[in-house]
Amino acid sequence: MLHYEPINLSVPEVHRLLLGGVAPRPIALASTISKDGINNLSPFSFFNAFGANPPIVAFSPSRRGRDASLKDTYNNLIETKECVIQLVTYSMVEQVSLASAEFPSEEDEFVKSGLTPIDSDLVKPKRVKESPFQMECKVLEIKSFGEGGASANLAICEVLKFHVAEDLFTNGIIDPIKIDLVARMSGDFYSRAKEGVFVVKKPIGKKCIGYDEVPEHIRNSEIYSANDLGKFGNSESIPDETEVKLFYQKLLQEKMEGFEEGYEAFLRYQRLNDYRKMLKAVLNITGNRKRNIEIAVKCALQNNDMDFAWKAALSVKHIK
Ligand SMILES: Cc1cc2nc3c(=O)[nH]c(=O)nc-3n(C[C@H](O)[C@H](O)[C@H](O)COP(=O)(O)O)c2cc1C
């Protein structure tokens, strides 16, 4: 590990560490209005949501690194105490980046970025039509930390009204593939969330056995990853020996269409993600039985078939 205390680093070095390590960050595209009625639009990735009752979001229009001057967004928030925050999708990311350019205060950044202003219902700043998720906000508090370049001005806001495109929903939740959000990382890097979307099942709560209760021979396997063991830990109970025996009896008797025995077949089933046939094939292979069963278990875990995974994983206990 490398070890740093911020006091020994330059501000740009600290900034670079935060940008690289605290990532990916959601992007708030903040629309504000000056007391003279000039629209401003800028992205901020020092941003997140902090509570739902009331709904609280916060972002930081920091002092400029170059000369510690205050940004137009900050000045507008102080003057008018309102903003609209919209989330940024892949289809608008280049225009959003354009809105981050330092245009003179009297320039309307809706015009400069080509994004479309539409009226809000409860606040003066405009909404951005292109974003499918918009929040009309009032500023509750602005907390400043330091007066040097890149110091934080945390604008804490309450959401007064959400506007959400109706086609984003699947089964009542906002679908990560449909919303297609982007996030900010270090340097010029962004991340497109939907290209890396995956599922982590919520812990089943107090009832789950936990990582420490996963049997030792499973924890010591060279095949399972820490994530695999985490999935085992998120189970309510461990099948007993009778259940494991029954599982194998059924598997042996089961007629599987086109089933072939042998290691070649095992490898083919592995490519096809067919862990049931993998396990059945393993039963007729003499060498490396423990390892091959665990490979089949890993495949079952990837498919979230916990019942299969447990029973097969427990069966290797006595195999050397
Ligand atoms: C994706 C992205 C994220 C940004 N995040 C921040 C941020 O969190 N805080 C900040 O002060 N500036 C951030 N910036 C830079 C501001 O958008 C930029 O300084 C902008 O010119 C400020 O505009 P204003 O003076 O009109 O408020 C970010 C820029 C981009 C492109």
Side-chain angles (χ1 to χ4, degrees), residues 97-300:
S97 170
L98 208 50
S100 77
E102 253 180 58
F103 298 108
S105 308
E106 57 284 4
E107 291 266 23
D108 182 330
E109 281 157 344
F110 275 99
V111 176
K112 299 310 290 179
S113 65
L115 291 164
T116 315
I118 48 174
D119 285 341
S120 298
D121 292 340
L122 304 174
V123 298
K124 280 216 187 82
K126 304 276 181 189
R127 292 183 283 143
V128 175
K129 188 169 185 223
E130 284 79 1
S131 170
F133 192 96
Q134 311 151 353
M135 298 178 285
E136 295 188 30
C137 300
K138 78 170 178 202
V139 177
L140 298 180
E141 225 180 294
I142 302 185
K143 287 258 183 207
S144 295
F145 301 88
E147 290 183 348
S151 62
N153 297 306
L154 195 57
I156 305 168
C157 309
E158 180 176 342
V159 181
L160 303 179
K161 190 159 187 172
F162 292 94
H163 302 267
V164 188
E166 62 251 57
D167 56 9
L168 293 185
F169 289 89
T170 303
N171 298 330
I173 62 161
I174 295 179
D175 186 318
I177 309 294
K178 289 181 182 162
I179 193 167
D180 200 6
L181 291 175
V182 289
R184 189 82 165 103
M185 305 197 75
S186 56
D188 289 338
F189 291 103
Y190 288 71
S191 124
R192 186 177 189 181
K194 83 169 183 184
E195 288 180 346
V197 169
F198 61 100
V199 172
V200 175
K201 284 211 168 167
K202 286 200 180 70
I204 55 175
K206 280 188 201 143
K207 286 187 198 152
C208 75
I209 60 167
Y211 197 100
D212 57 321
E213 292 291 328
V214 176
E216 209 173 327
H217 77 274
I218 296 182
R219 270 188 287 145
N220 290 339
S221 152
E222 286 171 8
I223 300 294
Y224 307 134
S225 65
N227 281 333
D228 293 334
L229 297 177
K231 280 189 183 177
F232 278 121
N234 186 25
S235 307
E236 218 168 309
S237 61
I238 302 176
D240 61 27
E241 290 209 2
T242 323
E243 288 175 283
V244 175
K245 260 192 201 147
L246 212 69
F247 164 77
Y248 269 96
Q249 276 168 10
K250 269 196 185 157
L251 188 76
L252 280 169
Q253 287 162 5
E254 193 177 331
K255 295 255 179 298
M256 293 181 182
E257 212 188 307
F259 175 74
E260 286 173 42
E261 289 177 355
Y263 192 57
E264 288 296 316
F266 172 81
L267 292 176
R268 195 168 62 251
Y269 297 141
Q270 187 178 2
R271 280 196 301 277
L272 295 170
N273 212 16
D274 190 338
Y275 48 90
R276 295 187 73 77
K277 282 188 180 163
M278 280 169 81
L279 187 62
K280 199 170 159 92
V282 168
L283 301 180
N284 295 298
I285 307 168
T286 39
N288 278 335
R289 176 171 286 189
K290 177 170 183 282
R291 186 175 179 278
N292 291 336
I293 292 179
E294 288 180 344
I295 292 172
V297 169
K298 201 171 170 69
C299 184

Side-chain angles (χ1 to χ4, degrees), residues 27 40-46 60-62 64 71-74 96-97 99-102 109 184 190:
I27 305 171
N40 191 288
L41 193 60
S42 296
F44 298 94
S45 68
F46 285 175
S60 175
S62 314
R64 289 195 182 89
K71 298 187 177 180
D72 295 336
T73 302
Y74 171 86
V96 170
S97 170
S100 77
E102 253 180 58
E109 281 157 344
R184 189 82 165 103
Y190 288 71

